[in-house]
Each structure stands twice: as C-alpha cells, then as structure tokens.
Amino acid sequence: GPVLLCLHGAGAGASSWALVAASVKSSTPIYALDFRGHGASDDAAASSLSKQQLVEDVVEASEALFHGERDIILVGHSLGGAVAAHAAASGRIKRLIGVAVVDVVEGTAIGALAHMQAILRSRPEQFR
C-alpha cells in the first residue's frame, strides 16, 4: 500500500504527527519530515525558508526515502499543507497518488516564512 509523507506546520516539527503515527502505523507506513530549521533538522540549513526551497526539500526527501518505488500520499498541516499542495502541483514527486491538507491558509502560512527565522531563534532551547 501507499506511504504517508507528513509535513508539519510553521514553527512545529515532525513530532507533531506522533498521535497520527500511533494510530495508523500498524496498517500504513508513515514518515514525517522536519522542515529545515525546525525540529531535529540542522538549523544552519534554515537560511532559506522559501516556498520553493521547502518544495524542493520535499521532492528530494521523497526520492531519497522511496526511490520512486512506493505510492505516496502527502499529508500537510498549515504551512505543510501549502508546501504539500505546491509539491504535488510541481509534478516532481514520483508515484504521488494523493494529497491531504489540514487547516491550511496558504497566504498566512507562506507569508509567515519571511518571519520564521526570528520565530525559530526565539524558541527556548529547553523547557523547565
């Protein structure tokens, strides 16, 4: 069957898909990416958070993970939904069979990218 490739919202991370993963992992393989500068990704890579760069990252990750050998359903929340829609529209994800977007307001999500560096820098390194 297909795999789910999940894309998180702005300022979040792949772990935001943990409850979804727990619910579906026994029947459907699920992968969640950290966008550059988010979650466990390399903060140095966050220098470019443009829509085009994030789409490119998703295309490259899908190829690296699945090598065009698996059917893929992109699932995105908020910013991740906007990126999923643009990645799907690019026609560059091999064997893409579906896209699901949750709570996406593209203008707001894409517009937030210009301010994301400041938001990411202001996050606490740990919580007490």
Side-chain angles (χ1 to χ4, degrees):
V3 298
L4 300 179
L5 182 57
C6 300
L7 310 176
H8 61 79
S15 63
S16 65
W17 293 102
L19 292 176
V20 173
S23 296
V24 303
K25 69 181 182 182
S26 64
S27 61
T28 305
I30 182 168
Y31 296 78
L33 303 179
D34 276 325
F35 285 134
R36 52 182 55 223
H38 291 73
S41 71
D42 182 5
D43 283 341
S47 60
S48 174
L49 288 171
S50 70
K51 173 180 64 178
Q52 295 79 7
Q53 183 60 64
L54 297 178
V55 166
E56 185 64 29
D57 291 347
V58 171
V59 170
E60 289 178 7
S62 69
E63 184 60 31
L65 288 167
F66 311 118
H67 312 288
E69 298 173 0
R70 298 291 303 265
D71 290 336
I72 299 170
I73 299 172
L74 283 179
V75 181
H77 170 250
S78 189
L79 171 64
V83 173
H86 285 279
S90 77
R92 296 177 53 217
I93 297 183
K94 296 175 184 166
R95 296 185 63 172
L96 180 66
I97 63 167
V99 180
V101 296
V102 180
D103 196 26
V104 66
V105 181
E106 182 175 352
T108 304
I110 296 299
L113 289 174
H115 308 287
M116 193 52 55
Q117 293 293 346
I119 292 168
L120 293 172
R121 281 193 301 272
S122 69
R123 291 182 302 180
E125 290 187 28
Q126 63 184 13
F127 292 94
R128 296 172 197 233

